[in-house]
Amino acid sequence: MKAKFLVPLALFLVLVGFLAFGLRLDPREVPSPLIDKPAPAFSLARLDDNSQRFGLEEMRGQVWLLNVWASWCVACRQEHPVLVDLARRQVVPVVGLNYKEVRGDGAIDARRLAPEQELAMAVERARGWLSAHGDPYKLSVLDLDGRVGIDFGVYGVPETFLIDQRGSVRYKHIGPITPESLEKVLLPKIEELKRAG
Amino acid sequence: MPADRFLRALRGAAFIGGCLLVAAAFAADAPTAKPLVADPALEARVLDLSHKLRCLVCQNQSIAESHAPLAVDLRDQVREQLAAGRSENEVVDYLVARYGDFVLYAPPFKATTLLLWLGPAALLLAGAGWLAIRLRSREREAAVTLSEAEHRRARELLAGNAAVPPSSKEPRS
């Protein structure tokens, strides 16, 4: 047992290995249980025309992105140019899920608003934001109370879901999409799904 | 002047005592606070379940403790569903289907969590086994017996007589 004195060193190195691995994990990235499962069905009012509703079935047969956004969301602002660029390249349709436009804004006491007031306010704010920063969306829908957000397991805006031709969620991106994550992760996955048909 | 100070203190004490008497008279009449919620039994269930569910935004708080908007929404969901007659298990299933096992503070026992649940017990058993082996071998060491020649040499060494040549087969510890 000449090398016995090396045992603590070996244990230490193993521990360092575990810690180094742990440091690289992002605790905010909670794996979604929705991956490879059918996306939750919804029917929500459209932002461009509140009298019309939009649901998953309208996108059947297409690979598309569902991007969760709100005008009060600071990180969405950071992500937005990437989405505008993606829309310009016409790679994939992006549907916007406007999440708690009014209630999510801490500066507004939404409990004092009547439902029609809240809707009007949400439409005004969301449209204003899109005209100021560009509109990359095929269309946006209004999730005023965040119920559809809960169905999708949204816990931090922005989040983006990649949905395939059969309406299954195939990938979830948490946080703002960066040019790098778009090129290295999202676009390859989109291409793969399109090829698979 | 000590007498003057004493009088002043007495007056002060009498004043405070009087105030307390008046306050007590008012308190006796004060109405008890109304409960904040319409159904305290339901609220107790909501709170009980909420303590077992993790807030995904803050992660180190349950949705009962957190003031994050998502925690408030999820608490409302829990309340709504319990009020609609769903069981605790059904509400938990509803949340796990959307947010995954991470939403539970107590992770379920399944193949991927075997190490998590059984790891500490396995470590304890391994440690106990190692300890038992060490104790056994130490017992054997203690039971080492010396031959007559070795005893003699030990006695001579202790007596300070170092001229004795070392025995060829020294017992090793």
Side-chain angles (χ1 to χ4, degrees):
Chain A
M1 289 299 262
K2 267 182 255 165
K4 210 171 179 179
F5 69 96
L6 284 177
V7 169
L9 181 67
L11 284 176
F12 172 72
L13 288 178
V14 168
L15 190 65
V16 165
F18 274 116
L19 292 176
F21 181 71
L23 268 182
R24 289 165 167 275
L25 296 176
D26 183 357
R28 287 196 50 84
E29 298 250 326
V30 180
S32 170
L34 285 175
I35 304 299
D36 293 332
K37 300 228 174 72
F42 63 85
S43 168
L44 289 172
R46 290 170 59 147
L47 176 61
D48 53 354
D49 179 0
N50 304 147
S51 62
Q52 282 196 58
R53 298 185 87 77
F54 170 85
L56 284 177
E57 52 290 339
E58 288 182 43
M59 298 304 287
R60 207 152 283 265
Q62 290 185 71
V63 177
W64 58 291
L65 293 176
L66 181 73
N67 176 250
V68 186
W69 69 282
S71 73
W72 45 259
C73 155
V74 180
C76 299
R77 192 96 149 246
Q78 179 193 340
E79 169 186 73
H80 210 63
V82 182
L83 291 178
V84 172
D85 179 53
L86 180 69
R88 196 179 42 75
R89 283 150 67 181
Q90 300 194 317
V91 184
V92 67
V94 185
V95 173
L97 177 71
N98 179 283
Y99 178 71
K100 292 175 73 175
E101 178 58 48
V102 174
R103 291 184 207 190
D105 190 335
I108 303 170
D109 189 359
R111 285 169 302 181
R112 293 190 180 171
L113 297 172
E116 60 273 20
Q117 272 178 310
E118 188 188 357
L119 177 66
M121 198 173 189
V123 167
E124 190 198 325
R125 285 165 54 108
R127 283 188 191 161
W129 197 80
L130 287 181
S131 58
H133 299 102
D135 185 355
Y137 302 114
K138 176 187 158 74
L139 65 110
S140 272
V141 289
L142 293 166
D143 182 21
L144 292 176
D145 57 7
R147 287 288 286 271
V148 172
I150 290 181
D151 282 345
F152 272 87
V154 170
Y155 64 90
V157 195
E159 287 183 14
T160 306
F161 296 85
L162 173 59
I163 300 172
D164 72 6
Q165 292 92 335
R166 280 168 292 281
S168 287
V169 176
R170 301 304 291 269
Y171 179 69
K172 177 185 182 184
H173 183 94
I174 297 159
I177 300 172
T178 58
E180 196 190 16
S181 62
L182 177 70
E183 297 297 334
K184 288 197 176 149
V185 183
L186 264 177
L187 285 179
K189 281 185 191 290
I190 291 168
E191 286 310 317
E192 190 188 323
L193 284 180
K194 278 185 173 175
R195 268 201 310 274
Chain B
M1 241 167 265
D4 189 29
R5 273 238 291 273
F6 176 72
L7 264 178
R8 253 208 318 241
L10 204 67
R11 254 208 319 261
F15 177 70
I16 291 170
C19 285
L20 283 176
L21 266 178
V22 172
F26 274 109
D29 261 355
T32 47
K34 268 181 276 177
L36 285 168
V37 287
D39 186 350
L42 172 70
E43 209 51 32
R45 284 175 71 203
V46 170
L47 212 61
D48 196 39
L49 189 54
S50 298
H51 274 297
K52 296 173 187 153
L53 299 167
R54 187 195 308 271
C55 166
L56 282 101
V57 181
C58 357
Q59 301 200 347
N60 284 329
Q61 280 185 309
S62 71
I63 64 168
E65 297 156 343
S66 173
H67 293 288
L70 180 70
V72 176
D73 284 359
L74 290 182
R75 225 153 49 214
D76 287 345
Q77 277 294 311
V78 170
R79 183 178 300 114
E80 206 174 285
Q81 299 200 9
L82 287 180
R86 292 230 212 164
S87 74
E88 264 82 353
N89 280 341
E90 283 171 319
V91 177
V92 166
D93 287 346
Y94 165 88
L95 287 170
V96 168
R98 284 155 182 77
Y99 291 98
D101 290 336
F102 190 68
V103 80
L104 304 172
Y105 263 117
F109 188 81
K110 56 186 193 185
T112 48
T113 56
L114 268 184
L115 192 65
L116 184 67
W117 279 104
L118 300 181
L123 274 178
L124 182 70
L125 282 178
W130 180 75
L131 186 68
I133 291 170
R134 285 298 300 240
L135 287 178
R136 277 260 198 86
S137 66
R138 202 189 281 179
E139 233 167 60
R140 236 179 289 131
E141 277 168 28
V144 164
T145 47
L146 300 180
S147 67
E148 192 46 45
E150 285 164 341
H151 268 296
R152 205 169 43 240
R153 185 174 173 243
R155 270 198 301 275
E156 279 165 9
L157 277 173
L158 285 170
N161 186 356
V164 180
S167 131
S168 58
K169 46 178 202 311
E170 255 181 301
R172 294 205 56 140
S173 59

